[in-house]
Coordinates of all heavy atoms in Angstrom, one line a residue:
M1 N 169.5 91.1 112.8 CA 168.8 91.2 114.0 C 167.6 92.1 113.9 O 167.7 93.2 113.3 CB 169.8 91.7 115.1 CG 169.1 92.0 116.4 SD 170.4 92.7 117.6 CE 169.8 91.8 119.0
M2 N 166.4 91.6 114.4 CA 165.2 92.4 114.4 C 165.3 93.5 115.4 O 165.8 93.3 116.5 CB 164.0 91.6 114.6 CG 163.8 90.6 113.4 SD 162.2 89.8 113.3 CE 161.7 89.5 115.0
R3 N 164.8 94.7 115.1 CA 164.7 95.8 116.0 C 163.2 96.1 116.3 O 162.4 96.1 115.3 CB 165.4 97.0 115.5 CG 166.9 96.8 115.2 CD 167.5 98.0 114.7 NE 168.9 97.7 114.3 CZ 170.0 98.0 115.1 NH1 169.8 98.5 116.3 NH2 171.2 97.7 114.7
F4 N 162.9 96.3 117.5 CA 161.5 96.5 117.8 C 161.3 97.9 118.5 O 162.2 98.4 119.1 CB 161.0 95.5 118.8 CG 161.0 94.0 118.3 CD1 162.2 93.2 118.6 CD2 160.1 93.5 117.5 CE1 162.3 91.9 118.1 CE2 160.1 92.3 117.0 CZ 161.2 91.4 117.3
P5 N 160.1 98.5 118.2 CA 159.8 99.7 118.8 C 159.8 99.6 120.3 O 159.5 98.5 120.9 CB 158.4 100.1 118.4 CG 157.9 99.0 117.4 CD 159.0 97.9 117.5
Y6 N 160.0 100.7 121.0 CA 160.1 100.7 122.5 C 159.5 102.0 123.0 O 159.5 103.0 122.3 CB 161.5 100.5 123.0 CG 162.4 101.5 122.7 CD1 162.6 102.6 123.6 CD2 163.1 101.6 121.5 CE1 163.5 103.6 123.3 CE2 164.0 102.6 121.3 CZ 164.2 103.6 122.1 OH 165.1 104.6 121.8
I7 N 159.0 102.0 124.2 CA 158.5 103.2 124.8 C 159.6 104.0 125.4 O 160.4 103.5 126.2 CB 157.4 102.9 125.9 CG1 156.2 102.2 125.3 CG2 157.0 104.2 126.6 CD1 155.2 101.7 126.3
N8 N 159.8 105.3 125.0 CA 160.7 106.2 125.5 C 160.1 106.7 126.8 O 159.3 107.6 126.8 CB 161.1 107.2 124.5 CG 162.1 108.2 125.0 OD1 162.3 108.5 126.2 ND2 162.9 108.7 124.0
T9 N 160.5 106.2 127.9 CA 159.9 106.6 129.2 C 160.3 108.0 129.6 O 159.4 108.7 130.2 CB 160.3 105.6 130.4 OG1 161.7 105.6 130.5 CG2 159.8 104.2 130.1
V10 N 161.4 108.5 129.2 CA 161.8 109.9 129.6 C 160.9 110.8 128.7 O 160.3 111.8 129.2 CB 163.3 110.1 129.4 CG1 163.6 111.6 129.5 CG2 164.1 109.3 130.4
A11 N 160.8 110.6 127.5 CA 160.0 111.5 126.6 C 158.5 111.4 127.0 O 157.8 112.4 126.9 CB 160.3 111.1 125.1
T12 N 158.0 110.2 127.4 CA 156.7 110.1 127.8 C 156.4 110.8 129.1 O 155.4 111.5 129.2 CB 156.4 108.6 128.0 OG1 156.5 107.9 126.8 CG2 154.9 108.4 128.5
G13 N 157.4 110.8 130.0 CA 157.3 111.6 131.2 C 157.2 113.1 130.9 O 156.5 113.9 131.5
E14 N 158.1 113.5 130.0 CA 158.0 114.9 129.5 C 156.7 115.3 129.0 O 156.2 116.4 129.3 CB 159.1 115.2 128.5 CG 160.5 115.2 129.2 CD 161.7 115.1 128.1 OE1 161.4 115.1 126.9 OE2 162.8 115.2 128.6
N15 N 156.0 114.4 128.2 CA 154.7 114.6 127.7 C 153.7 114.8 128.8 O 152.9 115.7 128.8 CB 154.3 113.5 126.8 CG 154.6 113.7 125.3 OD1 155.0 114.8 124.9 ND2 154.3 112.7 124.5
I16 N 153.8 113.9 129.8 CA 152.9 113.9 130.9 C 153.0 115.3 131.7 O 152.0 115.9 132.0 CB 153.1 112.7 131.9 CG1 152.7 111.4 131.2 CG2 152.3 112.9 133.2 CD1 153.1 110.2 132.0
N17 N 154.2 115.7 131.9 CA 154.5 116.9 132.6 C 154.0 118.1 131.8 O 153.3 119.0 132.3 CB 155.9 117.1 133.0 CG 156.1 118.1 134.0 OD1 155.4 118.2 135.0 ND2 157.1 119.0 133.8
R18 N 154.3 118.1 130.5 CA 153.8 119.3 129.6 C 152.3 119.3 129.6 O 151.7 120.4 129.8 CB 154.4 119.0 128.2 CG 153.9 120.1 127.2 CD 154.5 119.9 125.8 NE 154.2 118.6 125.3 CZ 153.0 118.1 124.9 NH1 152.0 118.8 124.9 NH2 153.0 116.8 124.5
M19 N 151.6 118.2 129.4 CA 150.1 118.1 129.4 C 149.6 118.5 130.7 O 148.6 119.2 130.8 CB 149.7 116.8 129.0 CG 150.0 116.4 127.6 SD 149.5 114.7 127.1 CE 150.1 114.5 125.5
R20 N 150.2 118.2 131.8 CA 149.7 118.5 133.1 C 149.8 120.1 133.3 O 148.8 120.7 133.7 CB 150.6 117.9 134.2 CG 150.3 118.3 135.6 CD 151.3 117.8 136.7 NE 152.7 118.4 136.4 CZ 153.0 119.6 136.8 NH1 152.2 120.4 137.4 NH2 154.3 120.1 136.6
V21 N 150.9 120.6 132.9 CA 151.1 122.1 133.0 C 150.1 122.8 132.1 O 149.4 123.8 132.5 CB 152.5 122.5 132.7 CG1 152.7 124.0 132.6 CG2 153.5 122.0 133.8
E22 N 149.9 122.4 130.8 CA 149.0 123.0 129.9 C 147.6 122.9 130.4 O 146.8 123.8 130.1 CB 149.2 122.3 128.5 CG 150.4 122.7 127.8 CD 150.6 122.0 126.5 OE1 149.8 121.1 126.2 OE2 151.6 122.2 125.8
A23 N 147.2 121.8 131.1 CA 145.9 121.6 131.6 C 145.6 122.4 132.9 O 144.5 122.5 133.4 CB 145.6 120.2 131.8
G24 N 146.7 123.0 133.4 CA 146.6 123.8 134.6 C 146.6 123.0 136.0 O 146.0 123.5 136.9
F25 N 147.1 121.8 135.9 CA 147.1 121.0 137.1 C 148.4 121.0 137.8 O 149.4 121.0 137.2 CB 146.8 119.5 136.7 CG 145.4 119.2 136.3 CD1 145.1 118.9 134.9 CD2 144.3 119.2 137.1 CE1 143.8 118.6 134.5 CE2 143.0 119.1 136.7 CZ 142.7 118.7 135.3
T26 N 148.4 120.9 139.1 CA 149.6 120.7 139.9 C 149.8 119.2 140.0 O 149.0 118.4 139.8 CB 149.5 121.3 141.3 OG1 148.5 120.6 142.0 CG2 149.1 122.8 141.2
V27 N 151.0 118.9 140.5 CA 151.3 117.4 140.8 C 150.3 116.9 141.8 O 149.8 115.8 141.8 CB 152.8 117.2 141.2 CG1 153.0 115.8 141.7 CG2 153.7 117.5 140.0
R28 N 150.1 117.8 142.8 CA 149.2 117.4 143.9 C 147.8 117.1 143.3 O 147.0 116.2 143.8 CB 149.1 118.5 144.9 CG 148.1 118.3 146.1 CD 148.6 117.5 147.2 NE 149.9 118.0 147.8 CZ 150.7 117.2 148.5 NH1 150.3 116.0 148.7 NH2 151.8 117.7 149.0
D29 N 147.3 117.9 142.3 CA 146.1 117.6 141.7 C 146.0 116.3 141.1 O 145.0 115.5 141.2 CB 145.8 118.7 140.6 CG 145.5 120.1 141.1 OD1 145.1 120.2 142.3 OD2 145.8 121.1 140.4
I30 N 147.0 115.9 140.4 CA 147.1 114.6 139.7 C 147.1 113.5 140.8 O 146.4 112.5 140.6 CB 148.3 114.5 138.7 CG1 148.3 115.6 137.7 CG2 148.4 113.1 138.1 CD1 147.0 115.5 136.8
Q31 N 147.9 113.7 141.8 CA 147.9 112.8 142.9 C 146.5 112.5 143.5 O 146.1 111.4 143.7 CB 148.8 113.3 144.0 CG 148.8 112.5 145.3 CD 149.4 113.3 146.5 OE1 150.2 114.2 146.3 NE2 149.1 112.9 147.7
E32 N 145.8 113.6 143.6 CA 144.4 113.5 144.2 C 143.5 112.8 143.2 O 142.6 112.0 143.6 CB 143.8 114.8 144.5 CG 144.5 115.4 145.8 CD 144.1 116.8 146.1 OE1 143.3 117.4 145.4 OE2 144.7 117.4 147.1
V33 N 143.6 113.0 141.9 CA 142.8 112.3 140.9 C 142.9 110.8 141.1 O 141.9 110.0 141.0 CB 143.2 112.7 139.5 CG1 142.6 111.7 138.5 CG2 142.8 114.1 139.2
F34 N 144.1 110.3 141.4 CA 144.4 108.9 141.5 C 144.2 108.3 142.9 O 144.3 107.2 143.2 CB 145.8 108.5 141.0 CG 145.9 108.7 139.5 CD1 146.4 109.8 138.9 CD2 145.4 107.6 138.6 CE1 146.5 109.9 137.5 CE2 145.5 107.7 137.3 CZ 146.0 108.9 136.7
G35 N 144.0 109.2 143.9 CA 143.8 108.8 145.3 C 145.2 108.4 145.9 O 145.1 107.6 146.8
F36 N 146.3 108.8 145.3 CA 147.6 108.4 145.9 C 147.8 109.2 147.2 O 147.5 110.3 147.3 CB 148.8 108.7 144.9 CG 148.7 108.0 143.6 CD1 149.3 108.6 142.5 CD2 148.1 106.7 143.5 CE1 149.3 107.9 141.3 CE2 148.1 106.1 142.2 CZ 148.7 106.6 141.2
S37 N 148.5 108.5 148.2 CA 148.7 109.1 149.4 C 149.9 110.0 149.4 O 150.0 111.0 150.2 CB 148.9 108.1 150.6 OG 150.0 107.2 150.2
T38 N 150.7 109.8 148.4 CA 151.9 110.7 148.2 C 152.1 111.0 146.7 O 151.5 110.2 145.9 CB 153.3 110.1 148.7 OG1 153.6 108.9 147.9 CG2 153.1 109.7 150.2
P39 N 152.9 112.0 146.3 CA 153.0 112.3 144.9 C 154.2 111.5 144.2 O 154.4 111.8 143.0 CB 153.3 113.8 144.9 CG 154.1 114.0 146.1 CD 153.4 113.0 147.2
Q40 N 154.8 110.6 144.9 CA 156.0 109.9 144.3 C 155.7 109.3 143.0 O 156.5 109.3 142.1 CB 156.5 109.0 145.3 CG 157.6 109.5 146.3 CD 157.0 110.7 147.2 OE1 155.9 110.6 147.6 NE2 157.7 111.7 147.5
A41 N 154.6 108.6 142.8 CA 154.3 107.9 141.6 C 154.2 108.9 140.5 O 154.7 108.6 139.4 CB 153.0 107.1 141.7
V42 N 153.5 110.0 140.7 CA 153.4 111.0 139.7 C 154.8 111.6 139.3 O 155.1 111.7 138.1 CB 152.5 112.1 140.1 CG1 152.3 113.2 139.0 CG2 151.1 111.6 140.5
Y43 N 155.7 111.9 140.3 CA 157.0 112.3 140.0 C 157.8 111.3 139.2 O 158.6 111.6 138.3 CB 157.7 112.7 141.3 CG 157.3 114.1 141.8 CD1 156.7 114.1 143.1 CD2 157.6 115.2 141.1 CE1 156.3 115.4 143.5 CE2 157.1 116.4 141.5 CZ 156.5 116.5 142.8 OH 156.1 117.8 143.2
K44 N 157.6 110.0 139.6 CA 158.3 108.9 138.8 C 157.9 108.9 137.4 O 158.7 108.7 136.4 CB 158.1 107.6 139.5 CG 158.9 107.4 140.7 CD 158.6 106.0 141.3 CE 159.3 105.8 142.6 NZ 159.1 104.5 143.2
W45 N 156.6 109.1 137.1 CA 156.1 109.2 135.7 C 156.8 110.4 135.0 O 157.3 110.2 133.9 CB 154.6 109.3 135.6 CG 153.8 108.3 136.3 CD1 154.2 107.1 136.6 CD2 152.4 108.4 136.6 NE1 153.1 106.3 137.1 CE2 152.1 107.1 137.1 CE3 151.5 109.4 136.5 CZ2 150.8 106.9 137.6 CZ3 150.2 109.2 137.0 CH2 149.8 108.0 137.5
I46 N 156.8 111.5 135.7 CA 157.3 112.7 135.0 C 158.8 112.6 134.7 O 159.3 113.1 133.7 CB 157.0 114.0 136.0 CG1 155.5 114.2 136.0 CG2 157.8 115.2 135.6 CD1 155.0 115.3 137.0
H47 N 159.5 112.0 135.6 CA 161.0 111.8 135.4 C 161.4 110.6 134.6 O 162.5 110.5 134.3 CB 161.7 111.8 136.8 CG 161.6 113.0 137.5 ND1 161.0 113.1 138.8 CD2 162.0 114.3 137.3 CE1 161.0 114.4 139.2 NE2 161.6 115.1 138.3
G48 N 160.4 109.8 134.1 CA 160.7 108.7 133.3 C 161.2 107.5 134.0 O 161.8 106.6 133.3
T49 N 161.2 107.4 135.3 CA 161.7 106.3 136.0 C 160.6 105.2 136.2 O 161.0 104.1 136.6 CB 162.3 106.7 137.4 OG1 161.3 107.3 138.1 CG2 163.5 107.6 137.2
A50 N 159.4 105.5 135.9 CA 158.4 104.5 135.9 C 157.2 105.0 134.9 O 157.1 106.1 134.6 CB 157.8 104.4 137.4
M51 N 156.5 104.0 134.5 CA 155.3 104.3 133.6 C 154.0 104.1 134.3 O 153.9 103.2 135.1 CB 155.4 103.4 132.4 CG 156.5 103.7 131.3 SD 156.1 105.2 130.4 CE 154.6 104.7 129.6
P52 N 153.0 104.9 134.0 CA 151.7 104.6 134.5 C 151.2 103.3 134.0 O 151.6 102.9 132.8 CB 150.9 105.8 134.0 CG 151.8 106.7 133.4 CD 153.1 106.1 133.1
T53 N 150.4 102.6 134.8 CA 149.8 101.4 134.3 C 148.8 101.7 133.2 O 148.4 102.9 133.0 CB 149.0 100.7 135.4 OG1 148.0 101.6 135.9 CG2 149.9 100.2 136.6
I54 N 148.4 100.7 132.4 CA 147.4 101.0 131.4 C 146.1 101.7 131.9 O 145.6 102.6 131.3 CB 147.0 99.6 130.7 CG1 148.2 99.0 130.0 CG2 145.9 99.9 129.7 CD1 148.7 99.8 128.8
D55 N 145.7 101.2 133.1 CA 144.5 101.8 133.7 C 144.7 103.3 134.0 O 143.9 104.1 133.8 CB 144.1 101.1 135.0 CG 143.6 99.7 134.8 OD1 143.5 99.3 133.6 OD2 143.4 99.0 135.8
N56 N 145.9 103.6 134.5 CA 146.2 105.0 134.8 C 146.4 105.9 133.5 O 146.1 107.0 133.5 CB 147.4 105.1 135.8 CG 147.1 104.6 137.2 OD1 145.9 104.5 137.5 ND2 148.1 104.3 137.9
L57 N 146.9 105.2 132.5 CA 147.1 105.9 131.3 C 145.7 106.3 130.7 O 145.5 107.4 130.2 CB 147.8 105.1 130.2 CG 149.3 105.1 130.3 CD1 150.0 104.1 129.4 CD2 149.9 106.5 129.9
V58 N 144.7 105.4 130.8 CA 143.4 105.7 130.4 C 142.9 106.9 131.1 O 142.2 107.9 130.6 CB 142.5 104.5 130.6 CG1 141.0 104.9 130.3 CG2 142.8 103.4 129.6
I59 N 143.1 107.0 132.4 CA 142.6 108.2 133.3 C 143.4 109.4 132.9 O 142.7 110.5 132.8 CB 142.8 107.8 134.8 CG1 141.8 106.6 135.1 CG2 142.5 109.0 135.6 CD1 142.1 106.0 136.5
L60 N 144.7 109.4 132.7 CA 145.4 110.5 132.4 C 144.9 111.1 131.1 O 144.8 112.3 130.9 CB 146.9 110.1 132.2 CG 147.7 110.1 133.5 CD1 149.2 109.6 133.2 CD2 147.7 111.5 134.2
A61 N 144.7 110.2 130.1 CA 144.2 110.6 128.8 C 142.8 111.4 129.0 O 142.6 112.4 128.3 CB 144.0 109.4 127.9
A62 N 142.0 110.8 129.8 CA 140.6 111.5 130.0 C 140.9 112.8 130.7 O 140.2 113.8 130.3 CB 139.8 110.6 130.8
V63 N 141.7 112.9 131.7 CA 142.0 114.1 132.5 C 142.6 115.2 131.6 O 142.2 116.4 131.6 CB 142.9 113.9 133.6 CG1 143.4 115.1 134.3 CG2 142.2 113.0 134.7
F64 N 143.5 114.8 130.7 CA 144.1 115.8 129.8 C 143.4 116.0 128.5 O 143.7 116.9 127.7 CB 145.5 115.3 129.4 CG 146.5 115.2 130.6 CD1 147.5 114.3 130.6 CD2 146.4 116.0 131.7 CE1 148.4 114.2 131.7 CE2 147.2 116.0 132.8 CZ 148.3 115.1 132.8
G65 N 142.4 115.2 128.2 CA 141.6 115.3 127.0 C 142.3 115.0 125.8 O 142.2 115.6 124.7
V66 N 143.2 113.9 125.9 CA 143.9 113.4 124.7 C 143.8 111.9 124.6 O 143.1 111.3 125.5 CB 145.4 113.8 124.9 CG1 145.7 115.3 125.0 CG2 146.0 113.2 126.2
T67 N 144.4 111.3 123.7 CA 144.5 109.9 123.5 C 145.7 109.3 124.3 O 146.7 110.1 124.5 CB 144.4 109.4 122.1 OG1 145.7 109.8 121.5 CG2 143.3 110.0 121.3
M68 N 145.7 108.1 124.6 CA 146.9 107.5 125.2 C 148.1 107.6 124.2 O 149.2 107.7 124.6 CB 146.7 106.0 125.5 CG 145.7 105.9 126.7 SD 145.6 104.3 127.5 CE 145.4 103.2 126.1
D69 N 147.8 107.5 122.9 CA 148.8 107.6 121.9 C 149.5 108.9 121.9 O 150.7 109.1 121.6 CB 148.3 107.4 120.5 CG 148.0 105.9 120.2 OD1 148.6 105.0 121.0 OD2 147.3 105.6 119.3
E70 N 148.8 110.0 122.4 CA 149.4 111.3 122.5 C 150.3 111.4 123.7 O 151.2 112.3 123.7 CB 148.3 112.4 122.5 CG 147.6 112.5 121.1 CD 146.4 113.4 121.3 OE1 146.6 114.7 121.0 OE2 145.3 113.0 121.6
I71 N 150.1 110.6 124.7 CA 150.9 110.6 125.9 C 152.2 109.8 125.7 O 153.3 110.2 126.0 CB 150.1 110.1 127.1 CG1 148.9 110.9 127.4 CG2 151.0 109.9 128.3 CD1 148.0 110.4 128.4
I72 N 152.0 108.6 125.1 CA 153.1 107.7 125.0 C 154.0 108.0 123.8 O 153.5 108.2 122.7 CB 152.6 106.2 124.9 CG1 151.8 105.8 126.0 CG2 153.8 105.3 124.7 CD1 151.0 104.6 125.9
V73 N 155.4 108.0 124.0 CA 156.3 108.3 123.0 C 156.9 106.9 122.6 O 157.6 106.3 123.5 CB 157.4 109.3 123.4 CG1 158.4 109.5 122.2 CG2 156.7 110.6 123.7
V74 N 156.7 106.5 121.4 CA 157.3 105.2 120.9 C 158.4 105.6 120.0 O 158.3 106.3 119.0 CB 156.2 104.4 120.2 CG1 156.9 103.1 119.6 CG2 155.1 104.0 121.2
D75 N 159.6 105.0 120.2 CA 160.8 105.2 119.4 C 161.0 103.9 118.6 O 160.8 102.8 119.2 CB 162.0 105.5 120.2 CG 162.0 107.0 120.7 OD1 161.2 107.8 120.1 OD2 162.7 107.3 121.6
I76 N 161.5 104.0 117.4 CA 161.9 102.8 116.6 C 163.4 103.0 116.4 O 163.8 104.0 115.8 CB 161.1 102.8 115.3 CG1 159.6 102.7 115.6 CG2 161.6 101.6 114.5 CD1 158.7 102.8 114.4
P77 N 164.2 102.0 116.8 CA 165.6 102.1 116.6 C 165.9 102.1 115.1 O 165.2 101.6 114.3 CB 166.2 100.7 117.2 CG 165.1 100.3 118.1 CD 163.8 100.8 117.5
A78 N 167.0 102.8 114.8 CA 167.5 102.9 113.4 C 167.8 101.5 112.9 O 168.2 100.6 113.6 CB 168.7 103.8 113.3
G79 N 167.6 101.3 111.6 CA 167.9 100.0 111.0 C 166.6 99.4 110.6 O 165.5 99.9 110.6
K80 N 166.7 98.1 110.2 CA 165.5 97.4 109.8 C 164.6 97.0 110.9 O 165.1 96.5 111.9 CB 166.1 96.1 109.0 CG 164.9 95.3 108.3 CD 165.5 94.2 107.5 CE 164.4 93.5 106.8 NZ 165.0 92.4 106.0
C81 N 163.4 97.2 110.8 CA 162.4 96.9 111.8 C 161.5 95.8 111.2 O 161.0 95.9 110.2 CB 161.6 98.1 112.2 SG 160.5 97.8 113.6
G82 N 161.2 94.8 112.1 CA 160.3 93.7 111.6 C 161.0 92.5 111.2 O 161.1 91.5 111.2

């Protein structure tokens, strides 16, 4: 059986939160960057229950001064891949 890499949403959320704190932003600051009426989407990203869209990942990377690859955590299951 082939095993494929997958995005670890919880670890990615932890990255987003860590980068947010390191950059000195509050959740409300991030909410305002995206023009969201509530912070729920940002909290969902942070808790790993949802992922930002590609467009939003591009913006997050610019805001944090990192690449999208530095935000996203990709795990590869043990065993043969490919």
Side-chain angles (χ1 to χ4, degrees):
M1 174 182 221
M2 294 194 324
R3 299 179 187 266
F4 298 98
Y6 64 95
I7 295 174
N8 183 326
T9 58
V10 172
T12 298
E14 291 168 354
N15 268 353
I16 292 170
N17 196 47
R18 178 182 49 77
M19 291 176 185
R20 176 191 63 79
V21 171
E22 288 174 357
F25 292 109
T26 65
V27 169
R28 177 88 51 204
D29 293 333
I30 300 300
Q31 171 192 339
E32 289 175 4
V33 165
F34 289 97
F36 297 152
S37 58
T38 67
Q40 272 62 34
V42 179
Y43 282 117
K44 286 180 180 182
W45 300 344
I46 289 171
H47 294 119
T49 56
M51 284 289 296
T53 63
I54 296 293
D55 293 354
N56 289 344
L57 278 170
V58 169
I59 295 168
L60 280 175
V63 167
F64 296 150
V66 299
T67 66
M68 290 193 311
D69 284 344
E70 292 174 89
I71 297 173
I72 300 168
V73 176
V74 176
D75 285 341
I76 301 172
K80 188 176 185 177
C81 185

